Structure formats: structure tokens, C-alpha cells
């Protein structure tokens, strides 16, 4: 029996775990993980790996057809809205099933002082009323939203895996680091840099959640940028294990 070829749009811990599960199967599945190439030294998953963009939905659909992909899993970051839209369009063009693998978002707990924002720009607008020393943990992309003159009096600690490119906030210190992070480490950052407001995307997961607990302990406000919705009509798995079950169903259907 010809193996089912699964293309995983990756770059997340869940994508890597899905590839590990699929590659560990004795037979029946061939897995290729696609990485965007925005991180200088990504953690490569097992199986086949391709790095780089596809050139939009048409390019992705062409790749899917050329490489006989049987199923597509969008396991990109919850905020990779453009790639998710491209995946939905490409799956429709190539007539292959598509699954979105999305870790659950965070839920506020007692003691949290969360302020919801629909975008990075909206988050930036909230900051002057909330604090003066900002721990910005939204990654290196999109920093232009915080670079306006209205925020020049604020100081930003920007944490990212790779060094950000301008435009950046006028008063910025960059902290290069990669999760998972510890509660003790996040407490120390808040203490040492005298942070009085945290900005984060609702990425979900455990790797970066300790900053929320540290903010709760110190009583500082947190601006949480809401994640974009999954494209309409695309089924969602919340864990890699659920995604494996979906792939297995495709395997049985093709058999």
C-alpha cells in the first residue's frame, strides 16, 4: 500500500510532536514538515523537511499536487493568519482534506488583570494608561505597532528568539531567548527590569505561560492580544494526538 503523504505546516511544538508521532508509526504514513524559515536555527522535526514559502495559495496547491500530498495539517502558530488562509484556499484548490492543529488559548484566573486587544495596534493604544515599563513578548514581527511617537515615553523590554528589525519602540532593550520559560525566571525579569505591564499574544500552551503567573503574583496588568479565528469550515484538533487520529482516519479511508 502506498503511504499516505501528510504535509504539516509547522513551526510549533505541536507540529514537531505530530511529526514525531507519525514518523514513529511502523508504516503507512509519509510526513513532510514545512517551515517558513523565519527562525535562524529552528528545531527540526523528524521526517522530511522543507524550508521556505510556497508563493501563496496557488503555489501551495501546486506543491501539494506535485508531491502527491493526501492530507494537509495546518500546525502553524495560532497567529499565522495569512498562512492559515492560504492553507484553506490551497486545500480547496487541490481537493485534499485540511485539519488545523491549534493548542487551546489561555484562560484568565483569579487575580489576573487582563486587558483584551484585537490587534497589536489596539494593544499599543492601551499601554499609556497601564504602565511605563513594558515587557513585550509578542515576538520580533509587528514591533512597528509600538514604535509610534505616542509611546516614546515608555520603555520596552522586547523578548524574541532572533533579533528584531526596525522600526522598534524608541526606548528598547532586546532580550534574545527561546522558551520554555520558568516561573522563577519570569519573576526575575519582572523584578530586575521593574516591569509594570506585560503584553502577550494569546498563544496558549505551557512553554510561555509562566509569565502570566508571574504577572498575576506581582499584580501587574497584562494586555492579551486575541488570536484570529481558524478559517471557516476547517476542522480543528486541540492536541497532536487528536491530529494523529484524524490522519489515521485518512489512512483507513485510502486503504
Amino acid at each position: 500500500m502506498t503511504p499516505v503523504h501528510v504535509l504539516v505546516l509547522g513551526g510549533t511544538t505541536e507540529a514537531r510532536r505530530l511529526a514525531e508521532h507519525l514518523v514513529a508509526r511502523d508504516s503507512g504514513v509519509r510526513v513532510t514538515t514545512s517551515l517558513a524559515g523565519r527562525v535562524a536555527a529552528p528545531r527540526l522535526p523528524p521526517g522530511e523537511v522543507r524550508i521556505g514559502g510556497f508563493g501563496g495559495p496557488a503555489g501551495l496547491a501546486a506543491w501539494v499536487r506535485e508531491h502527491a500530498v493526501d492530507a494537509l495539517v495546518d500546525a502553524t502558530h495560532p497567529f499565522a493568519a495569512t498562512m492559515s488562509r492560504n492553507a484553506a484556499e490551497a486545500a480547496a484548490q487541490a481537493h485534499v482534506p485540511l485539519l488545523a492543529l491549534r493548542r487551546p488559548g489561555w484562560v484568565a484566573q483569579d487575580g489576573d488583570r487582563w486587558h483584551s486587544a484585537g490587534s497589536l495596534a489596539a494593544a499599543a493604544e492601551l499601554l499609556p494608561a497601564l504602565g511605563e515599563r513594558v515587557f513585550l513578548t509578542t515576538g520580533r514581527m509587528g514591533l512597528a505597532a509600538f514604535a509610534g511617537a505616542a509611546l516614546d515615553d515608555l520603555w520596552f523590554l522586547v523578548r524574541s528568539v532572533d533579533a528584531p528589525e526596525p522600526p522598534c519602540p524608541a526606548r528598547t532593550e532586546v532580550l534574545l531567548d527561546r522558551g520554555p520559560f520558568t516561573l522563577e525566571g519570569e519573576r526575575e525579569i519582572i523584578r530586575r527590569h521593574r516591569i509594570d505591564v506585560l503584553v502577550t499574544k494569546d498563544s496558549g500552551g505551557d512553554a510561555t505561560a509562566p509569565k502570566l503567573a508571574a504577572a498575576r503574583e506581582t499584580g501587574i496588568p497584562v494586555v492579551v492580544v486575541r488570536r484570529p479565528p481558524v478559517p471557516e469550515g476547517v476542522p480543528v484538533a486541540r492536541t497532536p494526538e487528536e491530529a494523529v487520529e484524524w490522519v489515521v482516519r485518512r489512512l483507513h479511508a485510502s486503504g
Side-chain angles (χ1 to χ4, degrees):
M1 180 178 66
T2 303
V4 171
H5 188 189
V6 180
L7 174 61
V8 178
L9 305 179
T12 60
T13 300
E14 289 76 18
R16 190 166 61 253
R17 285 173 53 200
L18 174 59
E20 290 169 354
H21 287 320
L22 294 177
V23 169
R25 292 182 62 85
D26 292 336
S27 62
V29 179
R30 171 191 171 197
V31 58
T32 301
T33 300
S34 177
L35 302 176
R38 292 175 178 166
V39 176
R43 296 173 179 171
L44 298 180
E48 301 173 39
V49 177
R50 71 171 301 280
I51 296 178
F54 291 96
L60 175 54
W63 198 96
V64 165
R65 287 190 290 261
E66 180 182 352
H67 293 84
V69 171
D70 298 292
L72 181 60
V73 179
D74 171 18
T76 56
H77 191 275
F79 282 82
T82 298
M83 190 66 238
S84 293
R85 287 194 300 270
N86 289 352
E89 293 181 28
Q93 292 178 22
H95 304 290
V96 297
L98 168 65
L99 176 74
L101 173 54
R102 292 287 186 275
R103 69 185 79 129
W106 290 315
V107 178
Q109 300 182 26
D110 289 343
D112 283 327
R113 298 174 56 198
W114 285 12
H115 300 261
S116 180
S119 66
L120 292 177
E125 291 178 359
L126 294 175
L127 289 179
L130 296 176
E132 297 179 349
R133 298 182 65 81
V134 184
F135 187 15
L136 189 57
T137 64
T138 56
R140 68 188 182 93
M141 310 294 288
L143 294 184
F146 302 91
L151 303 183
D152 282 353
D153 291 338
L154 307 187
W155 179 87
F156 289 82
L157 177 65
V158 175
R159 181 165 68 190
S160 62
V161 176
D162 296 317
E165 298 179 358
C168 294
R171 302 171 61 203
T172 295
E173 179 176 331
V174 176
L175 175 61
L176 298 182
D177 204 356
R178 185 200 300 263
F181 302 106
T182 66
L183 178 56
E184 184 57 38
E186 302 295 58
R187 287 169 175 159
E188 176 60 19
I189 287 175
I190 290 175
R191 184 200 63 79
R192 176 166 20 105
H193 294 282
R194 294 178 287 115
I195 299 299
D196 57 14
V197 59
L198 167 68
V199 182
T200 182
K201 294 177 177 178
D202 181 18
S203 301
D206 298 329
T208 60
K211 62 190 173 188
L212 301 175
R216 185 184 313 120
E217 289 180 354
T218 53
I220 66 173
V222 180
V223 179
V224 181
V225 181
R226 298 188 299 272
R227 57 173 63 178
V230 171
E232 185 176 357
V234 177
V236 178
R238 294 164 64 88
T239 67
E241 291 75 19
E242 289 182 13
V244 169
E245 293 178 3
W246 182 85
V247 170
V248 169
R249 290 196 295 272
R250 305 280 82 70
L251 178 64
H252 291 163
S254 66

